[in-house]
Amino acid sequence: MKLEGGRLMNYFLKPSDKEINMLAISYIVFGLLICLFNVTILTMTIRVFGIIALLFSGYLLYTYFVQRISTSLSPLFIGVPGLLISILMVFSPESILAMLPILVGIILIINSIVHMQKSLILKDFGYPRWNISLIFSILVLITGVILLSQPIQSLSIIMQILGIALIVEAIFMLINQHILKRYD
């Protein structure tokens, strides 16, 4: 196959129309599923990951206690907490769902505090748009506080936003494909 410079790269990097259509359709389907069955899908996903983690943790503990192939404590330190968490994931995924927005809220609050500090450092160095960074970090802080105060309601809203974002992305993919096709 002899293609020149940029054409060779485009040949390998440019997805076909069929691939883009299939990806867009899958985005739309998953977006609708997430919008309509958001908590059910999350519960099922957590259970599936819990089963996988249960099998992996069981294997680690089996190799440590039964096979005795190593004196390393890492299978024990990974296997026991993994087993406990995976049992929780399989038999009580709702508790994991309740903790997820709380953890995300804590991470967002810490992240916003770090960005506020960076904004103030930018101000000290005379950066003219430091206030935009500060406003963004305040919005992230507010989002984190909302996630902490209403975890279950926040999770439902986040899942709906994610589903809508997938559908919008699929629509943009199809529009871009149509526009690019006119120029080929």
Side-chain angles (χ1 to χ4, degrees):
M1 165 175 14
K2 279 189 140 187
L3 295 174
E4 303 165 5
R7 288 184 55 204
L8 179 64
M9 189 167 52
N10 284 339
Y11 178 78
F12 286 111
L13 296 179
K14 184 179 175 188
S16 69
D17 292 342
K18 184 178 180 181
E19 290 171 337
I20 291 174
N21 288 337
M22 291 302 294
L23 189 61
I25 289 170
S26 64
Y27 276 18
I28 290 171
V29 168
F30 285 122
L32 288 173
L33 285 174
I34 289 172
C35 283
L36 298 176
F37 306 108
N38 54 16
V39 175
T40 307
I41 287 176
L42 273 178
T43 304
M44 182 180 66
T45 304
I46 289 173
R47 278 201 173 112
V48 168
F49 281 124
I51 291 169
I52 293 168
L54 185 67
L55 293 173
F56 181 70
S57 299
Y59 173 74
L60 288 175
L61 293 174
Y62 173 78
T63 59
Y64 185 76
F65 288 113
V66 177
Q67 289 183 341
R68 290 181 270 233
I69 54 179
S70 173
T71 59
S72 170
L73 291 177
S74 58
L76 186 64
F77 284 135
I78 295 172
V80 172
L83 183 68
L84 296 175
I85 292 170
S86 62
I87 288 172
L88 185 67
M89 290 172 74
V90 170
F91 295 109
S92 182
E94 296 82 16
S95 60
I96 301 292
L97 283 176
M99 287 188 296
L100 189 63
I102 293 170
L103 292 174
V104 171
I106 291 170
I107 290 169
L108 286 177
I109 289 172
I110 292 170
N111 191 19
S112 68
I113 292 170
V114 169
H115 280 285
M116 281 183 195
Q117 180 69 11
K118 287 180 182 179
S119 300
L120 296 175
I121 291 172
L122 289 174
K123 177 187 176 195
D124 292 343
F125 282 105
Y127 185 71
R129 294 199 175 122
W130 65 272
N131 52 358
I132 294 172
S133 178
L134 182 66
I135 291 170
F136 178 74
S137 61
I138 291 171
L139 291 175
V140 170
L141 176 69
I142 292 169
T143 304
V145 169
I146 290 172
L147 285 174
L148 280 177
S149 64
Q150 298 179 346
I152 299 299
Q153 298 87 352
S154 302
L155 184 63
S156 179
I157 291 169
I158 290 169
M159 292 303 294
Q160 289 178 348
I161 290 171
L162 179 64
I164 291 169
L166 281 173
I167 293 170
V168 169
E169 174 67 21
I171 292 169
F172 281 130
M173 285 172 61
L174 293 172
I175 290 171
N176 284 339
Q177 177 191 9
H178 178 70
I179 290 171
L180 291 174
K181 200 172 190 178
R182 289 192 320 198
Y183 292 109
D184 279 345

